[in-house]
Amino acid sequence: MSSLPKIASIGFVGVGIMGQSMAGHLLAAGYQVHVYNRTKSKTDALIAKGATWHDTPGAVAAQSDLIITMVGFPSDVEEVYFGENGIIASAKEAILVDMTTSSPSLARKIAQEAAKKGLASIDAPVSGGDIGARDAKLTIMVGGEQAVFNHVLPVLQKLGTSIILQGGPGMGQHTKMCNQIVIASTIMGVAEGLSYAKKVGLDPAQVLQSIGGGAASGFQLNVLGAKMIIGDYAPGFYVEHFIKDLKIALSEAEQMNLALPGLSLAKSLFEKMAAKGLQRNGTQGIFQIYID
Ligand code: NAP
């Protein structure tokens, strides 16, 4: 596109666990925020703080200089961009920012279709969980053009603290896959270490006090391991979303002939959870596979 719009109004599509906090930060920063979500009631708190409701993603897009999407699955991303009353058809001189964890190929498709309409776009998936979203401390991994990244950066800085352009369209999503591959084996290790502690007669909470301060420390152990110990499986990050990510990462790896046995094993364990009806638990619920 020839010139990038001054960003005063921001559209936000998808205000679930993550989007709810993120849209709230943008409102607090003084942007006009336009919202749409499949379940309307989830926008109530944002509307009470000044956001404006619209009936479709396209209606949000038509009013916005920049449109952020934070929906669930790639099929949801397809729907809000390309479906009836979708964003691509209705956006005018806007910048599109998909922050959903989705496939790199879909990110490239959005970039191509946006460019055909003279719209700028980036893929910008995040890490840091519900806590990172709430505290505006997300890690944001971006794919797209440098000029668009520079223009959008002040908005992203309202949401996160580590914001890095990783390459062209789709490269933000590829970086997020690196993150999910690391997490996949890490959370299995956390569940295994804590189930070993239980079985051998140690106090898992006290074990966590020791190992949580050593070389094994990190979000998966210190935050999610602590939840495993008390049996708190409420979702910060849904198992069904993690399975979606593991499938995307495995499919990309297979296309490159890259063997990732830890990732394959994690996928099979999380699918075992889903088969037990536990797909709406948080990922720390993997502990149940070991202790039940
Ligand atoms: P979530 O709570 O399910 O939020 C997604 C929201 O998008 C839901 O409110 C959903 O509506 C809405 N939505 C889905 N499809 C839609 C559509 N076609 N049109 C309009 N709204 C639609 O999930 P989340 O935890 O916020 O995660 C969002 C994305 O970020 C996922 O891709 C996830 O993998 C990724 N992510 C999550 C975390 C985390 O820790 N939670 C961290 C990093 C990345 P309903 O309310 O009707 O379901």
Side-chain angles (χ1 to χ4, degrees):
M1 73 188 293
S2 46
S3 68
L4 293 163
K6 182 173 175 297
I7 301 166
S9 60
I10 298 181
F12 214 110
V13 176
V15 294
I17 292 177
M18 300 293 284
Q20 185 75 216
S21 300
M22 294 161 74
H25 295 315
L26 298 174
L27 268 174
Y31 293 103
Q32 297 162 33
V33 175
H34 299 271
V35 288
Y36 172 72
N37 192 71
R38 186 170 51 200
T39 304
K40 188 179 179 192
S41 58
K42 290 192 189 172
T43 61
D44 288 352
L46 291 165
I47 290 167
K49 286 187 235 164
T52 308
W53 165 262
H54 298 269
D55 286 329
T56 65
V60 165
Q63 298 297 320
S64 307
D65 304 315
L66 178 143
I67 299 128
I68 294 177
T69 47
M70 192 55 166
V71 292
F73 298 87
S75 54
D76 298 321
V77 175
E78 283 270 359
E79 187 181 324
V80 300
Y81 280 91
F82 302 113
E84 205 182 334
N85 300 313
I87 292 167
I88 294 280
S90 303
K92 295 182 190 75
E93 292 188 21
I95 305 171
L96 315 182
V97 181
D98 184 28
M99 304 189 81
T100 315
T101 304
S102 176
S103 73
S105 58
L106 182 50
R108 289 193 296 273
K109 178 180 167 187
I110 292 171
Q112 281 161 6
E113 295 303 315
K116 281 185 200 163
K117 278 207 63 192
L119 305 168
S121 69
I122 55 172
D123 46 293
V126 307
S127 179
D130 55 329
I131 300 169
R134 186 196 64 204
D135 297 345
K137 289 189 176 156
L138 291 169
T139 284
I140 306 177
M141 299 154 265
V142 184
E145 287 176 21
Q146 183 77 56
V148 180
F149 174 81
N150 294 347
H151 193 74
V152 168
L153 189 57
V155 175
L156 299 182
Q157 282 169 334
K158 303 291 178 214
L159 308 175
T161 43
S162 165
I163 305 161
I164 297 175
L165 180 65
Q166 295 286 351
M171 288 306 190
Q173 295 293 356
H174 274 308
T175 306
K176 172 72 185 184
M177 288 306 125
C178 301
N179 185 76
Q180 300 309 72
I181 292 164
V182 171
I183 286 178
S185 288
T186 308
I187 195 158
M188 279 192 303
V190 170
E192 293 188 5
L194 294 179
S195 56
Y196 180 97
K198 264 191 121 163
K199 196 81 178 172
V200 80
L202 285 158
D203 172 359
Q206 201 162 302
V207 170
L208 187 58
Q209 276 181 7
S210 287
I211 69 174
S217 68
F219 184 93
Q220 301 301 310
L221 177 62
N222 298 58
V223 178
L224 298 186
K227 290 186 178 186
M228 288 178 194
I229 290 169
I230 59 169
D232 173 4
Y233 305 128
F237 180 40
Y238 292 121
V239 164
E240 63 183 6
H241 283 162
F242 200 36
I243 292 173
K244 168 237 340 165
D245 299 349
L246 302 184
K247 284 181 177 168
I248 295 171
L250 269 175
S251 155
E252 294 292 333
E254 275 162 19
Q255 287 170 47
M256 297 184 284
N257 285 324
L258 176 67
L260 298 174
L263 182 61
S264 302
L265 178 57
K267 178 172 156 285
S268 68
L269 293 182
F270 280 102
E271 284 177 337
K272 202 168 157 186
M273 276 187 76
K276 289 183 172 194
L278 303 174
Q279 66 277 7
R280 298 281 285 179
N281 276 185
T283 49
Q284 71 276 16
I286 193 178
F287 195 44
Q288 292 160 103
I289 296 283
Y290 292 91
I291 57 166
D292 286 353

